[in-house]
Amino acid sequence: MYEERSGWVTFAGIMLLIVGVLNIIYGIAAIGDSNFFIANSRFILSGLNTWGWVTLVIGVLQLFAAFSLWSGGLYGRIIGVAAAGLSAIAALMSIPAYPFWSLAIFALDIVIIYQIATRGTEGRGDRAEADAIASAAGPPRTRDTVSG
């Protein structure tokens, strides 16, 4: 049984994968107190090390969400929207520390949520329903010809 995947769902999965990898990289850099970040930056809650762990966990969740979304089930769509939503909230909370990066991640997360929510079942719904109806009806019937 062949299922055709929507291009928009594939796009959302790729964006989740990219944002997840970037969040993991920036999370590891923040945990390691890298010189990449501004030394006296202010965060809404806690410090750079805590935000590094938060970003790392969200990045790992986004990686799992991307692969789960590509598997095609409802669980993948739910995890994808949840991971992108958490990342969007975390990006908004880290605006005082690095505003342009946070706004870029926030924008990508909103695009991901929109694409999964509006086009999450494209390429699956009609085809899956038609296959279910066909399998419930039984094997295809052939007309017997009577030679006379």
Side-chain angles (χ1 to χ4, degrees), residues 1-6 123-124 126-128 131:
M1 194 180 306
Y2 175 73
E3 289 184 356
E4 187 175 320
R5 178 178 293 142
S6 169
R124 291 186 174 82
D126 296 337
R127 177 78 176 178
D131 288 342

Side-chain angles (χ1 to χ4, degrees), residues 60-87:
V60 170
L61 182 65
Q62 285 174 325
L63 285 180
F64 285 125
F67 291 112
S68 182
L69 182 64
W70 286 331
S71 72
L74 175 65
Y75 179 75
R77 293 191 304 268
I78 291 171
I79 295 299
V81 169
L86 286 174
S87 177

Side-chain angles (χ1 to χ4, degrees), residues 1-138:
M1 194 180 306
Y2 175 73
E3 289 184 356
E4 187 175 320
R5 178 178 293 142
S6 169
W8 287 111
V9 175
T10 303
F11 172 76
I14 290 170
M15 288 292 105
L16 266 174
L17 185 72
I18 290 170
V19 171
V21 168
L22 291 174
N23 278 336
I24 288 173
I25 291 169
Y26 280 97
I28 291 171
I31 292 168
D33 293 328
S34 175
N35 292 332
F36 176 79
F37 297 104
I38 300 170
N40 295 327
S41 59
R42 295 177 303 191
F43 292 91
I44 293 176
L45 296 173
S46 196
L48 181 62
N49 197 6
T50 303
W51 275 109
W53 282 106
V54 168
T55 305
L56 180 67
V57 168
I58 289 174
V60 170
L61 182 65
Q62 285 174 325
L63 285 180
F64 285 125
F67 291 112
S68 182
L69 182 64
W70 286 331
S71 72
L74 175 65
Y75 179 75
R77 293 191 304 268
I78 291 171
I79 295 299
V81 169
L86 286 174
S87 177
I89 292 169
L92 287 178
M93 292 183 77
S94 61
I95 283 178
Y98 35 95
F100 295 117
W101 173 254
S102 297
L103 291 176
I105 293 296
F106 178 75
L108 283 175
D109 288 330
I110 296 303
V111 168
I112 290 167
I113 292 170
Y114 177 76
Q115 295 304 331
I116 293 172
T118 60
R119 295 180 165 60
T121 58
E122 279 186 7
R124 291 186 174 82
D126 296 337
R127 177 78 176 178
E129 186 176 319
D131 288 342
I133 291 171
S135 66

